[in-house]
Amino acid sequence: MNNTLKVERAKKDITQQDLAEEIGVSRQTINSIESGKYVPSTVLALKIARYFEVTVNDIFELDLED
Amino acid sequence: MKVDVDFPLLNRKWLLLGYAFIPLPFILIIGSFFTKIDVGDYILDLMSGCWAAGFLILNLTRQNAEDEMVQKIRLQAYQLGFFYLLLGLFVQVIFNFIVSFWGFSGVTISTFSVLFLLNFYIFIAFHFQKFNNSQSI
C-alpha cells in the first residue's frame, strides 16, 4: 500500500513526533507507516485522514501487489 | 487496534528483574564452585529455567508505547515463536531418533528447555520486527 503521509506532513510542516502525539501512537509507528513497513488499521487511517482534513483515499492507495 | 481479550502486561520496572535472570545461571554456577555444591545434574535445567523465567518476564513487560503496531508485532512474535518451537522440537525428535541407531540417547527435551526456547523465540521475533520497523528506507 502506498501513502502520501510524508507529503501531507510536509504540507503542514509538522514532525513525525508531533503527528504521533496528535493521533496517539508512537513516532516509530508513524515512521513505519511512511516507509510502507506497516499498514495502519482502519481506525488509525481515519484518524490520520481526519487530522489532515482529507479523505483516507487521498493519503492511502492500493499498489499493484495488494 | 482493539482486542477482545485484554493481554496482561507487566509494568516497565519488571524489565530489570527479567534481565537479572539472564546472567543468573552463570553466577549460580560460579557460586557453586566456591560453595562446593554439585549442580552437575541440574545444570541444564538451572540454565533453561532461569532463562525461561527471564525471557517470559521480558516478553510480558509493557513497551514504552503500547500502540496498535506494537500489539500487531507482539501477535506476530507469538505466532512465529510457537511455529519455530514446534519446528525445533520436531527437528530435535528426528535427531534423537537418528542418533539412537548408534546407541546415543540424543538431546533431552525438558519442560524448562521448551519454555526457554518458546520465550526466547518470541523475544527475538518481537525485537527483530521492532528493530526492522524502526529502520527508515
Side-chain angles (χ1 to χ4, degrees), chain A residues 1 3 9 12 22 30 32 41 43 45 49 54 56 60 63:
Chain A
M1 184 177 274
N3 70 76
R9 206 165 47 75
K12 270 210 164 191
E22 283 293 333
I30 299 297
S32 301
S41 67
V43 174
V54 293
V56 173
F60 299 97
D63 62 18

Side-chain angles (χ1 to χ4, degrees), chain A residues 26 29 31-32 37-38 41, chain B residues 67-69 132-135:
Chain A
S26 67
T29 300
N31 182 49
S32 301
K37 288 177 179 168
Y38 176 65
S41 67
Chain B
D67 60 10
E68 64 169 50
M69 189 180 76
N132 200 29
N133 275 14
S134 69
Q135 301 299 302

Side-chain angles (χ1 to χ4, degrees), chain B residues 14 20 30 33 44 54-55 73 80 82 107 112-113 125:
Chain B
W14 285 79
I30 293 165
F33 281 119
L44 280 177
F55 283 114
I73 290 175
L80 274 173
F82 185 69
V107 185
F112 285 130
S113 66

